[in-house]
């Protein structure tokens, strides 16, 4: 019998209390595992220390195995990451922030787990994308996440106009993210490329004490003071009118 792969959400940043974003059951299950796959072992250990403060870990932290899976991990290495589960050991896939396998390299591991009939159990936790859709006031019946847009200014403007056209035609909310230090440039590009009536939402530091969420038309954003979002994780959303 194989083990179970638990998909363990992480916080979206420094929170006042872990229990404010992660249910007790998630913390309890996490504390009982001694094998994890994470994008970065160092930050995964920091997360486990937070869990340990509420639910003592099954083993000392230095005895817990944390294997890394990131954009540099070759596809041939994925099977080895699942070896403990195929041997019957439960394991946890931990995201760097938010839920694993969504805008996260862990998706490939989850797909391989299914191919090997390893049970996959997703656990409840914060997702910046869903929180942004919920709070935006834009269409929550139909939405699409587009990852990162091009960094080249001309290509980015073209892509924004494509997404705006699709949004208007399909009445579909379009989501994307940006490297936090380029947030201001992204908002400027959106305001410049979008029609005045297109709705834009900027959702920053979701679930954190410094959280800010604001939805306005492109025309309103043009004359508004820019939000305090430099170097802060932000989700951008648009809905063409």
């Amino acid at each position: 019998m194989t083990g179970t792969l638990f998909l363990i959400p992480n916080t979206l940043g420094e929170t006042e209390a872990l229990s404010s974003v992660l249910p007790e059951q998630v913390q309890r299950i996490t504390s009982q595992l001694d094998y994890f796959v994470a994008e970065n072992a160092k930050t995964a250990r920091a997360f486990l220390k937070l869990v340990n403060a509420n639910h003592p870990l099954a083993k000392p932290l230095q005895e817990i195995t944390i294997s890394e899976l990131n954009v540099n991990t070759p596809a041939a290495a994925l099977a080895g990451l699942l070896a403990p589960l195929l041997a019957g050991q439960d394991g946890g896939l931990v995201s760097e922030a938010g839920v694993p396998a969504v805008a996260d390299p862990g998706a490939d591991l989850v797909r391989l787990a299914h191919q090997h009939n390893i049970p996959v159990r997703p656990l409840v936790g914060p997702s910046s994308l869903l929180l942004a859709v919920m709070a935006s006031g834009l269409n929550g019946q139909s939405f699409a996440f587009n990852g990162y847009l091009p960094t080249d200014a001309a290509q980015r403007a073209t892509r924004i106009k494509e997404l705006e056209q699709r949004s208007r035609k399909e009445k579909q909310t379009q989501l994307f993210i940006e490297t936090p230090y380029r947030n201001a440039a992204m908002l400027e590009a959106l305001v410049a490329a979008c029609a005045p009536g297109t709705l834009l939402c900027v959702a920053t530091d979701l679930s954190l004490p410094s959280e800010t969420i604001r939805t306005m038309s492109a025309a309103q954003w043009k004359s508004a003071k820019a939000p305090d979002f430099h170097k802060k994780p932000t989700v951008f959303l648009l809905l063409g009118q």
Side-chain angles (χ1 to χ4, degrees), residues 139-156:
N139 190 357
Q141 295 287 348
S142 177
F143 53 90
F145 174 58
N146 299 278
Y148 292 91
L149 302 193
T151 56
D152 176 79
Q155 294 177 359
R156 181 174 56 204

Side-chain angles (χ1 to χ4, degrees), residues 7-241:
L7 308 186
I8 302 171
N10 202 339
T11 67
L12 295 174
E14 293 186 10
T15 60
E16 294 178 338
L18 193 60
S19 58
S20 67
V21 291
L22 286 185
E24 289 296 315
Q25 182 194 31
V26 175
Q27 297 183 56
R28 179 178 54 78
I29 291 174
T30 303
S31 71
Q32 295 170 353
L33 301 175
D34 58 10
Y35 174 65
F36 294 89
V37 177
E39 193 167 354
N40 183 289
K42 181 178 180 180
T43 54
R45 290 190 183 93
F47 169 68
L48 291 176
K49 285 182 180 179
L50 293 177
V51 172
N52 186 59
N54 297 326
H55 295 270
L57 301 177
K59 290 183 177 180
L61 187 54
Q62 61 269 24
E63 295 181 16
I64 291 176
T65 301
I66 302 176
S67 298
E68 292 192 343
L69 170 59
N70 50 51
V71 294
N72 297 315
T73 303
L78 294 179
L81 298 177
L82 288 179
L85 288 97
L86 290 170
Q89 183 178 1
D90 290 338
L93 174 63
V94 184
S95 175
E96 189 76 355
V99 297
V102 176
D104 177 270
D108 292 336
L109 188 70
V110 174
R111 182 169 62 252
L112 188 61
H114 285 297
Q115 293 173 5
H116 286 282
N117 294 318
I118 294 172
V120 176
R121 184 176 172 189
L123 302 181
V124 175
S127 164
S128 61
L129 304 180
L130 287 180
L131 290 171
V133 172
M134 290 164 58
S136 68
L138 306 185
N139 190 357
Q141 295 287 348
S142 177
F143 53 90
F145 174 58
N146 299 278
Y148 292 91
L149 302 193
T151 56
D152 176 79
Q155 294 177 359
R156 181 174 56 204
T158 298
R159 182 61 173 148
I160 289 172
K161 291 177 180 178
E162 291 173 349
L163 292 175
E164 182 186 34
Q165 183 178 14
R166 177 183 177 187
S167 176
R168 186 181 298 113
K169 179 181 178 181
E170 301 182 15
K171 302 186 185 304
Q172 184 181 69
T173 301
Q174 302 295 321
L175 293 79
F176 39 91
I177 54 178
E178 181 55 279
T179 303
Y181 68 84
R182 288 201 291 258
N183 283 336
M186 173 57 75
L187 182 56
E188 290 173 3
L190 284 167
V191 171
C194 289
T198 292
L199 295 176
L200 303 175
C201 177
V202 178
T204 299
D205 277 352
L206 290 160
S207 81
L208 305 181
S210 54
E211 174 185 272
T212 59
I213 307 163
R214 194 172 186 187
T215 297
M216 297 189 296
S217 68
Q220 290 171 319
W221 275 112
K222 187 174 183 178
S223 59
K225 180 181 178 181
D228 177 20
F229 61 175
H230 184 56
K231 293 187 177 181
K232 295 181 178 180
T234 297
V235 179
F236 296 88
L237 307 89
L238 72 78
L239 182 63
Q241 300 296 291

